[in-house]
Amino acid sequence: MQSIGVRLREARIARGWSQPRLVRELRQIAARRGHQLPADASVKRRIASWENGHSVPDEFYGPLLAEAFGTGAAELGLSRSGGEDLTLLEAGYPASPDAAIETVGRLWRADLNGYEPLFEVEPSEPAWNEASLRWLVAPEPSFPAVRRDDGPHVGLGDVATIKTTADVFAQLDDRFGGDHARLAVIQYLSRDVTPLLNGQYTEAVGRALFSTVAEATLLAGWMSYDTCHHGLAQRYFLQALRLAQDANDRRLAGSVLSAMSHQATFLGRYTEGATLARAALMGISQVATPTLRAQFRAMEARALARTGDTRACELALAAATQALESRNSDDEPEWISYFDEAELGRVSEVDLDVSRSTSWGGTI
């Protein structure tokens, strides 16, 4: 069976169109539907990415292409009924940077297209354990092996744009909750970030790109968590962890494991929650900051409280308090700035109450 990229290229060539001609056709169709496409160069990069198999048209561009070529979406291989998305239901840790780029792009696209099984799938307990272990014992950070000579040239300015955009979405999340802008985040990642991941960049730019995209994917995971799509959230966390690993951003990777710990505890997997928090602390021991140590210890305490182990919970909270006392804000990642004495105080009060209630045989 021909790939989607081959079908799109053949459909274009059969009409004697160049890629710029296809851009013009798509722009005219979009205008008739009341939409405005980005710059010609941006749309042309998307076409090249589709035809070379680096990405697949999403639900916005798919109908435009079908109308431009005068054919059905299924004939172009764009039907949603295909079975390829079934692999997205597997909560595996990507084996390589290239696999991570492919998988996270497919996740964003399926999420944007409303692929129902992805919203209904349950979290995988083994996936938490596999991800934490593979991250802890990972060799030196890898880098994509596939040379992308036809993708867009990516520089630090592009990375800064992603960072700024993700920060805006994070502010919306803080103010209105995860459900407010979740789909907008996924749309941005799928349509604007996927081509950059499949673009041309130096290793230094690539590391910065992976770190920034990992942070944005972590945000998508938290938003999915907030909307109770826990299987989907877990899959975003897994991809964020792999991207952070290849960025050699161990602090961010530890924060991803902390998010997994929070989720595992929330879902009643208390032992896994404590283990994930400890893995986060162990994995960043050489680059840990006081606030990160405090936050990871607090997540450990949160899980231990639910097991009724009051003594271990108190020790973890004491370690968190001690860590915060030595905090130097100048050396802290900006995304952990929310965690302060007041935040730890709220965690401590709840966790100790829960721990004592559990150890006394009460209800939570």
Side-chain angles (χ1 to χ4, degrees):
M1 180 180 295
Q2 289 181 322
S3 68
I4 294 175
V6 171
R7 294 186 189 190
L8 292 174
R9 185 185 300 111
E10 289 185 351
R12 176 177 60 80
I13 293 174
R15 286 156 181 78
W17 292 353
S18 64
Q19 288 184 348
R21 168 66 186 277
L22 178 55
V23 171
R24 293 195 297 272
E25 296 290 336
L26 293 176
R27 189 174 299 284
Q28 291 173 7
I29 295 169
R32 290 200 298 268
R33 297 184 176 195
H35 301 294
Q36 183 176 358
L37 298 186
D40 286 359
S42 176
V43 180
K44 187 175 179 294
R45 284 197 297 267
R46 293 173 190 269
I47 293 172
S49 178
W50 300 332
E51 293 187 352
N52 287 285
H54 294 154
S55 63
V56 176
D58 58 25
E59 65 176 1
F60 176 79
Y61 282 98
L64 300 184
L65 287 164
E67 182 173 341
F69 292 138
T71 185
E75 294 180 50
L76 295 174
L78 300 177
S79 174
R80 295 186 195 174
S81 60
E84 63 178 359
D85 286 329
L86 292 177
T87 59
L88 292 174
L89 304 184
E90 301 172 2
Y93 192 64
S96 67
D98 295 288
I101 290 171
E102 178 185 0
T103 302
V104 76
R106 293 175 61 225
L107 270 173
W108 292 334
R109 187 168 62 249
D111 189 351
L112 189 61
N113 288 341
Y115 183 58
E116 283 298 329
L118 197 56
F119 300 112
E120 299 170 356
V121 68
E122 294 294 324
S124 166
E125 187 172 313
W128 285 319
N129 299 325
E130 178 195 11
S132 59
L133 178 61
R134 289 183 60 181
W135 176 67
L136 283 171
V137 302
E140 289 298 313
S142 350
F143 198 70
V146 177
R147 292 184 58 84
R148 297 173 171 86
D149 296 328
D150 54 354
H153 289 274
V154 183
L156 292 177
D158 299 295
V159 177
T161 298
I162 298 173
K163 171 63 176 171
T164 300
T165 305
D167 286 346
V168 171
F169 286 130
Q171 292 169 12
L172 291 173
D173 177 44
D174 289 340
R175 185 171 180 181
F176 300 110
D179 195 34
H180 176 74
R182 198 192 77 85
L183 197 59
V185 172
I186 303 304
Q187 178 175 314
Y188 173 71
L189 291 171
S190 182
R191 295 182 180 174
D192 294 84
V193 175
T194 296
L196 299 180
L197 286 174
N198 288 292
Q200 303 177 57
Y201 37 79
T202 64
E203 184 167 339
V205 171
R207 302 272 187 232
L209 176 64
F210 296 163
S211 178
T212 302
V213 176
E215 189 176 342
T217 304
L218 174 60
L219 174 63
W222 276 118
M223 287 176 153
S224 301
Y225 179 147
D226 289 344
T227 54
C228 297
H229 298 312
H230 283 287
L232 176 59
Q234 183 192 48
R235 283 148 183 79
Y236 280 137
F237 290 152
L238 292 171
Q239 305 311 312
L241 181 63
R242 177 71 218 207
L243 289 168
Q245 174 186 323
D246 296 317
N248 199 25
D249 192 339
R250 297 197 71 79
R251 290 176 175 178
L252 179 58
S255 188
V256 176
L257 283 177
S258 178
M260 292 181 180
S261 170
H262 194 290
Q263 182 184 39
T265 299
F266 178 80
L267 296 174
R269 306 293 193 269
Y270 307 134
T271 300
E272 287 75 14
T275 299
L276 286 162
R278 290 166 181 154
L281 187 62
M282 181 185 303
I284 71 162
S285 59
Q286 295 182 348
V287 294
T289 67
T291 305
L292 286 172
R293 287 199 301 271
Q295 203 269 344
F296 297 166
R297 283 294 196 182
M299 286 301 99
E300 179 186 4
R302 185 173 180 270
L304 291 170
R306 275 72 182 172
T307 69
D309 192 340
T310 304
R311 177 59 178 161
C313 175
E314 290 175 341
L315 288 173
L317 288 174
T321 301
Q322 184 177 13
L324 272 187
E325 290 173 351
S326 62
R327 179 174 55 179
N328 177 3
S329 299
D330 294 337
D331 190 39
E332 299 287 349
E334 61 177 322
W335 39 261
I336 198 64
S337 60
Y338 77 93
F339 196 85
D340 55 15
E341 287 80 0
E343 182 69 19
L344 178 60
R346 285 190 288 270
V347 173
S348 301
E349 182 177 357
V350 172
D351 285 351
L352 288 175
D353 286 346
V354 169
S355 178
R356 289 161 182 160
S357 175
T358 305
S359 64
W360 294 336
T363 57
I364 299 177

